[in-house]
PDB file of all heavy atoms in Angstrom:
ATOM      1  N   ASN A   1       0.830  -1.200   0.000  1.00  0.00           N
ATOM      2  CA  ASN A   1       0.000   0.000   0.000  1.00  0.00           C
ATOM      3  C   ASN A   1       0.873   1.262   0.000  1.00  0.00           C
ATOM      4  O   ASN A   1       0.573   2.241  -0.703  1.00  0.00           O
ATOM      5  CB  ASN A   1      -0.917  -0.008   1.223  1.00  0.00           C
ATOM      6  CG  ASN A   1      -2.096   0.933   1.070  1.00  0.00           C
ATOM      7  OD1 ASN A   1      -2.806   0.887   0.069  1.00  0.00           O
ATOM      8  ND2 ASN A   1      -2.309   1.778   2.065  1.00  0.00           N
ATOM      9  N   ALA A   2       1.961   1.229   0.757  1.00  0.00           N
ATOM     10  CA  ALA A   2       2.885   2.365   0.773  1.00  0.00           C
ATOM     11  C   ALA A   2       3.528   2.554  -0.598  1.00  0.00           C
ATOM     12  O   ALA A   2       3.659   3.688  -1.094  1.00  0.00           O
ATOM     13  CB  ALA A   2       3.960   2.151   1.837  1.00  0.00           C
ATOM     14  N   PHE A   3       3.940   1.456  -1.226  1.00  0.00           N
ATOM     15  CA  PHE A   3       4.505   1.511  -2.579  1.00  0.00           C
ATOM     16  C   PHE A   3       3.534   2.172  -3.552  1.00  0.00           C
ATOM     17  O   PHE A   3       3.902   3.055  -4.335  1.00  0.00           O
ATOM     18  CB  PHE A   3       4.857   0.093  -3.040  1.00  0.00           C
ATOM     19  CG  PHE A   3       5.012  -0.056  -4.521  1.00  0.00           C
ATOM     20  CD1 PHE A   3       6.177   0.322  -5.159  1.00  0.00           C
ATOM     21  CD2 PHE A   3       3.975  -0.593  -5.286  1.00  0.00           C
ATOM     22  CE1 PHE A   3       6.319   0.185  -6.538  1.00  0.00           C
ATOM     23  CE2 PHE A   3       4.112  -0.738  -6.655  1.00  0.00           C
ATOM     24  CZ  PHE A   3       5.283  -0.344  -7.279  1.00  0.00           C
ATOM     25  N   LEU A   4       2.258   1.768  -3.496  1.00  0.00           N
ATOM     26  CA  LEU A   4       1.268   2.307  -4.420  1.00  0.00           C
ATOM     27  C   LEU A   4       0.998   3.792  -4.161  1.00  0.00           C
ATOM     28  O   LEU A   4       0.813   4.577  -5.096  1.00  0.00           O
ATOM     29  CB  LEU A   4      -0.034   1.506  -4.313  1.00  0.00           C
ATOM     30  CG  LEU A   4       0.026   0.084  -4.877  1.00  0.00           C
ATOM     31  CD1 LEU A   4      -1.243  -0.677  -4.543  1.00  0.00           C
ATOM     32  CD2 LEU A   4       0.258   0.099  -6.382  1.00  0.00           C
ATOM     33  N   LYS A   5       0.993   4.180  -2.893  1.00  0.00           N
ATOM     34  CA  LYS A   5       0.775   5.594  -2.584  1.00  0.00           C
ATOM     35  C   LYS A   5       1.907   6.462  -3.137  1.00  0.00           C
ATOM     36  O   LYS A   5       1.673   7.546  -3.659  1.00  0.00           O
ATOM     37  CB  LYS A   5       0.649   5.781  -1.067  1.00  0.00           C
ATOM     38  CG  LYS A   5      -0.694   5.328  -0.513  1.00  0.00           C
ATOM     39  CD  LYS A   5      -0.810   5.629   0.976  1.00  0.00           C
ATOM     40  CE  LYS A   5      -2.199   5.258   1.486  1.00  0.00           C
ATOM     41  NZ  LYS A   5      -2.349   5.509   2.939  1.00  0.00           N
ATOM     42  N   ILE A   6       3.131   5.964  -3.042  1.00  0.00           N
ATOM     43  CA  ILE A   6       4.268   6.700  -3.607  1.00  0.00           C
ATOM     44  C   ILE A   6       4.134   6.767  -5.129  1.00  0.00           C
ATOM     45  O   ILE A   6       4.296   7.829  -5.748  1.00  0.00           O
ATOM     46  CB  ILE A   6       5.599   6.025  -3.231  1.00  0.00           C
ATOM     47  CG1 ILE A   6       5.787   6.009  -1.717  1.00  0.00           C
ATOM     48  CG2 ILE A   6       6.773   6.730  -3.909  1.00  0.00           C
ATOM     49  CD1 ILE A   6       6.898   5.090  -1.252  1.00  0.00           C
ATOM     50  N   LEU A   7       3.831   5.624  -5.738  1.00  0.00           N
ATOM     51  CA  LEU A   7       3.724   5.555  -7.198  1.00  0.00           C
ATOM     52  C   LEU A   7       2.663   6.508  -7.722  1.00  0.00           C
ATOM     53  O   LEU A   7       2.874   7.220  -8.716  1.00  0.00           O
ATOM     54  CB  LEU A   7       3.408   4.116  -7.615  1.00  0.00           C
ATOM     55  CG  LEU A   7       3.348   3.808  -9.108  1.00  0.00           C
ATOM     56  CD1 LEU A   7       4.667   4.116  -9.781  1.00  0.00           C
ATOM     57  CD2 LEU A   7       2.956   2.354  -9.327  1.00  0.00           C
ATOM     58  N   PHE A   8       1.520   6.573  -7.032  1.00  0.00           N
ATOM     59  CA  PHE A   8       0.411   7.371  -7.537  1.00  0.00           C
ATOM     60  C   PHE A   8       0.372   8.774  -6.940  1.00  0.00           C
ATOM     61  O   PHE A   8      -0.616   9.485  -7.100  1.00  0.00           O
ATOM     62  CB  PHE A   8      -0.908   6.616  -7.336  1.00  0.00           C
ATOM     63  CG  PHE A   8      -1.046   5.472  -8.300  1.00  0.00           C
ATOM     64  CD1 PHE A   8      -0.634   4.201  -7.948  1.00  0.00           C
ATOM     65  CD2 PHE A   8      -1.522   5.680  -9.579  1.00  0.00           C
ATOM     66  CE1 PHE A   8      -0.719   3.150  -8.839  1.00  0.00           C
ATOM     67  CE2 PHE A   8      -1.611   4.647 -10.482  1.00  0.00           C
ATOM     68  CZ  PHE A   8      -1.214   3.378 -10.118  1.00  0.00           C
ATOM     69  N   ARG A   9       1.472   9.177  -6.285  1.00  0.00           N
ATOM     70  CA  ARG A   9       1.673  10.600  -6.016  1.00  0.00           C
ATOM     71  C   ARG A   9       2.086  11.321  -7.292  1.00  0.00           C
ATOM     72  O   ARG A   9       1.892  12.520  -7.432  1.00  0.00           O
ATOM     73  CB  ARG A   9       2.774  10.800  -4.958  1.00  0.00           C
ATOM     74  CG  ARG A   9       2.343  10.601  -3.531  1.00  0.00           C
ATOM     75  CD  ARG A   9       3.286  11.307  -2.576  1.00  0.00           C
ATOM     76  NE  ARG A   9       4.684  11.027  -2.821  1.00  0.00           N
ATOM     77  CZ  ARG A   9       5.479  10.355  -1.997  1.00  0.00           C
ATOM     78  NH1 ARG A   9       4.998   9.878  -0.869  1.00  0.00           N
ATOM     79  NH2 ARG A   9       6.746  10.165  -2.291  1.00  0.00           N
ATOM     80  N   ARG A  10       2.685  10.555  -8.206  1.00  0.00           N
ATOM     81  CA  ARG A  10       3.067  11.125  -9.490  1.00  0.00           C
ATOM     82  C   ARG A  10       1.804  11.448 -10.296  1.00  0.00           C
ATOM     83  O   ARG A  10       0.732  10.895 -10.018  1.00  0.00           O
ATOM     84  CB  ARG A  10       3.910  10.138 -10.288  1.00  0.00           C
ATOM     85  CG  ARG A  10       5.404  10.167 -10.055  1.00  0.00           C
ATOM     86  CD  ARG A  10       5.781   9.928  -8.666  1.00  0.00           C
ATOM     87  NE  ARG A  10       7.234   9.941  -8.477  1.00  0.00           N
ATOM     88  CZ  ARG A  10       7.777   9.909  -7.286  1.00  0.00           C
ATOM     89  NH1 ARG A  10       7.038   9.877  -6.191  1.00  0.00           N
ATOM     90  NH2 ARG A  10       9.101   9.913  -7.168  1.00  0.00           N
ATOM     91  N   PRO A  11       1.912  12.325 -11.290  1.00  0.00           N
ATOM     92  CA  PRO A  11       0.779  12.492 -12.206  1.00  0.00           C
ATOM     93  C   PRO A  11       0.370  11.130 -12.760  1.00  0.00           C
ATOM     94  O   PRO A  11       1.227  10.312 -13.115  1.00  0.00           O
ATOM     95  CB  PRO A  11       1.345  13.411 -13.298  1.00  0.00           C
ATOM     96  CG  PRO A  11       2.435  14.176 -12.612  1.00  0.00           C
ATOM     97  CD  PRO A  11       3.048  13.211 -11.645  1.00  0.00           C
ATOM     98  N   HIS A  12      -0.928  10.864 -12.804  1.00  0.00           N
ATOM     99  CA  HIS A  12      -1.364   9.524 -13.192  1.00  0.00           C
ATOM    100  C   HIS A  12      -2.739   9.556 -13.844  1.00  0.00           C
ATOM    101  O   HIS A  12      -3.495  10.530 -13.715  1.00  0.00           O
ATOM    102  CB  HIS A  12      -1.382   8.590 -11.974  1.00  0.00           C
ATOM    103  CG  HIS A  12      -2.314   9.025 -10.893  1.00  0.00           C
ATOM    104  ND1 HIS A  12      -1.921   9.890  -9.890  1.00  0.00           N
ATOM    105  CD2 HIS A  12      -3.622   8.747 -10.651  1.00  0.00           C
ATOM    106  CE1 HIS A  12      -2.932  10.115  -9.075  1.00  0.00           C
ATOM    107  NE2 HIS A  12      -3.985   9.443  -9.523  1.00  0.00           N
ATOM    108  N   LEU A  13      -3.043   8.480 -14.517  1.00  0.00           N
ATOM    109  CA  LEU A  13      -4.359   8.249 -15.103  1.00  0.00           C
ATOM    110  C   LEU A  13      -4.913   6.977 -14.485  1.00  0.00           C
ATOM    111  O   LEU A  13      -4.320   5.904 -14.615  1.00  0.00           O
ATOM    112  CB  LEU A  13      -4.249   8.106 -16.628  1.00  0.00           C
ATOM    113  CG  LEU A  13      -5.556   7.825 -17.392  1.00  0.00           C
ATOM    114  CD1 LEU A  13      -6.526   8.985 -17.225  1.00  0.00           C
ATOM    115  CD2 LEU A  13      -5.262   7.570 -18.865  1.00  0.00           C
ATOM    116  N   ASN A  14      -6.027   7.098 -13.778  1.00  0.00           N
ATOM    117  CA  ASN A  14      -6.639   5.989 -13.037  1.00  0.00           C
ATOM    118  C   ASN A  14      -5.731   5.574 -11.870  1.00  0.00           C
ATOM    119  O   ASN A  14      -4.550   5.941 -11.814  1.00  0.00           O
ATOM    120  CB  ASN A  14      -6.939   4.787 -13.929  1.00  0.00           C
ATOM    121  CG  ASN A  14      -7.897   5.124 -15.042  1.00  0.00           C
ATOM    122  OD1 ASN A  14      -8.718   6.028 -14.927  1.00  0.00           O
ATOM    123  ND2 ASN A  14      -7.772   4.397 -16.149  1.00  0.00           N
ATOM    124  N   SER A  15      -6.305   4.795 -10.991  1.00  0.00           N
ATOM    125  CA  SER A  15      -5.567   4.378  -9.799  1.00  0.00           C
ATOM    126  C   SER A  15      -6.194   3.114  -9.233  1.00  0.00           C
ATOM    127  O   SER A  15      -7.428   2.992  -9.228  1.00  0.00           O
ATOM    128  CB  SER A  15      -5.605   5.483  -8.742  1.00  0.00           C
ATOM    129  OG  SER A  15      -5.270   4.983  -7.464  1.00  0.00           O
ATOM    130  N   PRO A  16      -5.385   2.167  -8.758  1.00  0.00           N
ATOM    131  CA  PRO A  16      -5.959   0.971  -8.125  1.00  0.00           C
ATOM    132  C   PRO A  16      -6.748   1.306  -6.872  1.00  0.00           C
ATOM    133  O   PRO A  16      -7.592   0.530  -6.436  1.00  0.00           O
ATOM    134  CB  PRO A  16      -4.721   0.115  -7.805  1.00  0.00           C
ATOM    135  CG  PRO A  16      -3.577   1.065  -7.810  1.00  0.00           C
ATOM    136  CD  PRO A  16      -3.918   2.137  -8.794  1.00  0.00           C
ATOM    137  N   PHE A  17      -6.501   2.477  -6.275  1.00  0.00           N
ATOM    138  CA  PHE A  17      -7.257   2.868  -5.086  1.00  0.00           C
ATOM    139  C   PHE A  17      -8.707   3.192  -5.421  1.00  0.00           C
ATOM    140  O   PHE A  17      -9.566   3.191  -4.547  1.00  0.00           O
ATOM    141  CB  PHE A  17      -6.606   4.084  -4.418  1.00  0.00           C
ATOM    142  CG  PHE A  17      -5.246   3.809  -3.860  1.00  0.00           C
ATOM    143  CD1 PHE A  17      -4.126   4.413  -4.398  1.00  0.00           C
ATOM    144  CD2 PHE A  17      -5.076   2.931  -2.801  1.00  0.00           C
ATOM    145  CE1 PHE A  17      -2.866   4.165  -3.888  1.00  0.00           C
ATOM    146  CE2 PHE A  17      -3.820   2.668  -2.285  1.00  0.00           C
ATOM    147  CZ  PHE A  17      -2.704   3.283  -2.820  1.00  0.00           C
ATOM    148  N   HIS A  18      -8.967   3.498  -6.695  1.00  0.00           N
ATOM    149  CA  HIS A  18     -10.324   3.838  -7.112  1.00  0.00           C
ATOM    150  C   HIS A  18     -10.894   2.783  -8.051  1.00  0.00           C
ATOM    151  O   HIS A  18     -11.882   3.036  -8.736  1.00  0.00           O
ATOM    152  CB  HIS A  18     -10.337   5.204  -7.810  1.00  0.00           C
ATOM    153  CG  HIS A  18      -9.795   6.305  -6.964  1.00  0.00           C
ATOM    154  ND1 HIS A  18      -8.975   7.305  -7.464  1.00  0.00           N
ATOM    155  CD2 HIS A  18      -9.924   6.560  -5.638  1.00  0.00           C
ATOM    156  CE1 HIS A  18      -8.629   8.126  -6.486  1.00  0.00           C
ATOM    157  NE2 HIS A  18      -9.197   7.693  -5.370  1.00  0.00           N
ATOM    158  N   ALA A  19     -10.275   1.624  -8.076  1.00  0.00           N
ATOM    159  CA  ALA A  19     -10.675   0.598  -9.042  1.00  0.00           C
ATOM    160  C   ALA A  19     -11.621  -0.441  -8.457  1.00  0.00           C
ATOM    161  O   ALA A  19     -12.124  -1.285  -9.183  1.00  0.00           O
ATOM    162  CB  ALA A  19      -9.433  -0.108  -9.595  1.00  0.00           C
ATOM    163  N   GLN A  20     -11.861  -0.385  -7.155  1.00  0.00           N
ATOM    164  CA  GLN A  20     -12.638  -1.438  -6.513  1.00  0.00           C
ATOM    165  C   GLN A  20     -14.132  -1.141  -6.535  1.00  0.00           C
ATOM    166  O   GLN A  20     -14.796  -1.037  -5.520  1.00  0.00           O
ATOM    167  CB  GLN A  20     -12.151  -1.628  -5.068  1.00  0.00           C
ATOM    168  CG  GLN A  20     -10.684  -1.998  -4.964  1.00  0.00           C
ATOM    169  CD  GLN A  20     -10.333  -3.234  -5.775  1.00  0.00           C
ATOM    170  OE1 GLN A  20     -11.036  -4.234  -5.699  1.00  0.00           O
ATOM    171  NE2 GLN A  20      -9.262  -3.180  -6.543  1.00  0.00           N
ATOM    172  N   LEU A  21     -14.676  -0.967  -7.736  1.00  0.00           N
ATOM    173  CA  LEU A  21     -16.104  -0.778  -7.907  1.00  0.00           C
ATOM    174  C   LEU A  21     -16.749  -2.100  -8.279  1.00  0.00           C
ATOM    175  O   LEU A  21     -16.255  -2.801  -9.157  1.00  0.00           O
ATOM    176  CB  LEU A  21     -16.375   0.244  -9.014  1.00  0.00           C
ATOM    177  CG  LEU A  21     -15.885   1.667  -8.751  1.00  0.00           C
ATOM    178  CD1 LEU A  21     -16.101   2.514  -9.996  1.00  0.00           C
ATOM    179  CD2 LEU A  21     -16.617   2.277  -7.571  1.00  0.00           C
ATOM    180  N   ASN A  22     -17.848  -2.444  -7.615  1.00  0.00           N
ATOM    181  CA  ASN A  22     -18.495  -3.688  -8.016  1.00  0.00           C
ATOM    182  C   ASN A  22     -19.379  -3.435  -9.234  1.00  0.00           C
ATOM    183  O   ASN A  22     -19.923  -2.341  -9.436  1.00  0.00           O
ATOM    184  CB  ASN A  22     -19.271  -4.306  -6.845  1.00  0.00           C
ATOM    185  CG  ASN A  22     -20.561  -3.579  -6.554  1.00  0.00           C
ATOM    186  OD1 ASN A  22     -21.520  -3.656  -7.327  1.00  0.00           O
ATOM    187  ND2 ASN A  22     -20.596  -2.873  -5.426  1.00  0.00           N
ATOM    188  N   LYS A  23     -19.506  -4.435 -10.072  1.00  0.00           N
ATOM    189  CA  LYS A  23     -20.156  -4.261 -11.373  1.00  0.00           C
ATOM    190  C   LYS A  23     -21.651  -4.009 -11.249  1.00  0.00           C
ATOM    191  O   LYS A  23     -22.250  -3.391 -12.136  1.00  0.00           O
ATOM    192  CB  LYS A  23     -19.854  -5.478 -12.246  1.00  0.00           C
ATOM    193  CG  LYS A  23     -18.384  -5.587 -12.635  1.00  0.00           C
ATOM    194  CD  LYS A  23     -18.115  -6.755 -13.548  1.00  0.00           C
ATOM    195  CE  LYS A  23     -16.648  -6.786 -13.976  1.00  0.00           C
ATOM    196  NZ  LYS A  23     -15.734  -7.092 -12.871  1.00  0.00           N
ATOM    197  N   ILE A  24     -22.274  -4.456 -10.176  1.00  0.00           N
ATOM    198  CA  ILE A  24     -23.695  -4.179  -9.986  1.00  0.00           C
ATOM    199  C   ILE A  24     -23.909  -2.676  -9.827  1.00  0.00           C
ATOM    200  O   ILE A  24     -24.804  -2.082 -10.439  1.00  0.00           O
ATOM    201  CB  ILE A  24     -24.240  -4.936  -8.765  1.00  0.00           C
ATOM    202  CG1 ILE A  24     -24.034  -6.455  -8.937  1.00  0.00           C
ATOM    203  CG2 ILE A  24     -25.720  -4.626  -8.567  1.00  0.00           C
ATOM    204  CD1 ILE A  24     -24.710  -7.039 -10.147  1.00  0.00           C
ATOM    205  N   SER A  25     -23.074  -2.045  -9.006  1.00  0.00           N
ATOM    206  CA  SER A  25     -23.180  -0.596  -8.810  1.00  0.00           C
ATOM    207  C   SER A  25     -22.905   0.160 -10.107  1.00  0.00           C
ATOM    208  O   SER A  25     -23.557   1.165 -10.410  1.00  0.00           O
ATOM    209  CB  SER A  25     -22.200  -0.136  -7.725  1.00  0.00           C
ATOM    210  OG  SER A  25     -22.525  -0.712  -6.475  1.00  0.00           O
ATOM    211  N   VAL A  26     -21.924  -0.319 -10.881  1.00  0.00           N
ATOM    212  CA  VAL A  26     -21.596   0.326 -12.151  1.00  0.00           C
ATOM    213  C   VAL A  26     -22.780   0.231 -13.123  1.00  0.00           C
ATOM    214  O   VAL A  26     -23.126   1.200 -13.809  1.00  0.00           O
ATOM    215  CB  VAL A  26     -20.338  -0.308 -12.767  1.00  0.00           C
ATOM    216  CG1 VAL A  26     -20.107   0.202 -14.186  1.00  0.00           C
ATOM    217  CG2 VAL A  26     -19.120  -0.019 -11.905  1.00  0.00           C
ATOM    218  N   LEU A  27     -23.431  -0.931 -13.167  1.00  0.00           N
ATOM    219  CA  LEU A  27     -24.582  -1.100 -14.054  1.00  0.00           C
ATOM    220  C   LEU A  27     -25.737  -0.190 -13.635  1.00  0.00           C
ATOM    221  O   LEU A  27     -26.415   0.411 -14.481  1.00  0.00           O
ATOM    222  CB  LEU A  27     -25.024  -2.564 -14.055  1.00  0.00           C
ATOM    223  CG  LEU A  27     -24.072  -3.545 -14.753  1.00  0.00           C
ATOM    224  CD1 LEU A  27     -24.444  -4.976 -14.405  1.00  0.00           C
ATOM    225  CD2 LEU A  27     -24.080  -3.335 -16.260  1.00  0.00           C
ATOM    226  N   GLU A  28     -25.969  -0.092 -12.329  1.00  0.00           N
ATOM    227  CA  GLU A  28     -27.013   0.818 -11.838  1.00  0.00           C
ATOM    228  C   GLU A  28     -26.720   2.256 -12.238  1.00  0.00           C
ATOM    229  O   GLU A  28     -27.615   2.987 -12.686  1.00  0.00           O
ATOM    230  CB  GLU A  28     -27.114   0.716 -10.318  1.00  0.00           C
ATOM    231  CG  GLU A  28     -27.846  -0.516  -9.806  1.00  0.00           C
ATOM    232  CD  GLU A  28     -28.073  -0.451  -8.305  1.00  0.00           C
ATOM    233  OE1 GLU A  28     -27.093  -0.295  -7.554  1.00  0.00           O
ATOM    234  OE2 GLU A  28     -29.244  -0.536  -7.889  1.00  0.00           O
ATOM    235  N   ALA A  29     -25.457   2.678 -12.074  1.00  0.00           N
ATOM    236  CA  ALA A  29     -25.066   4.044 -12.431  1.00  0.00           C
ATOM    237  C   ALA A  29     -25.254   4.292 -13.927  1.00  0.00           C
ATOM    238  O   ALA A  29     -25.682   5.381 -14.337  1.00  0.00           O
ATOM    239  CB  ALA A  29     -23.621   4.293 -12.026  1.00  0.00           C
TER     240      ALA A  29
END
């Protein structure tokens, strides 16, 4: 988790920290 926080302090596109969406919620949205 510390490694990922350092990595995504850099300018980035998408992030594993925001990737944990379940598909049911995505379909509803």
Side-chain angles (χ1 to χ4, degrees):
N1 199 51
F3 161 80
L4 289 172
K5 284 184 176 179
I6 299 167
L7 184 60
F8 287 93
R9 280 202 311 247
R10 272 58 179 172
H12 61 272
L13 179 63
N14 300 333
S15 162
F17 294 114
H18 303 139
Q20 301 305 313
L21 296 174
N22 75 71
K23 293 183 177 68
I24 301 300
S25 296
V26 171
L27 290 167
E28 283 188 304

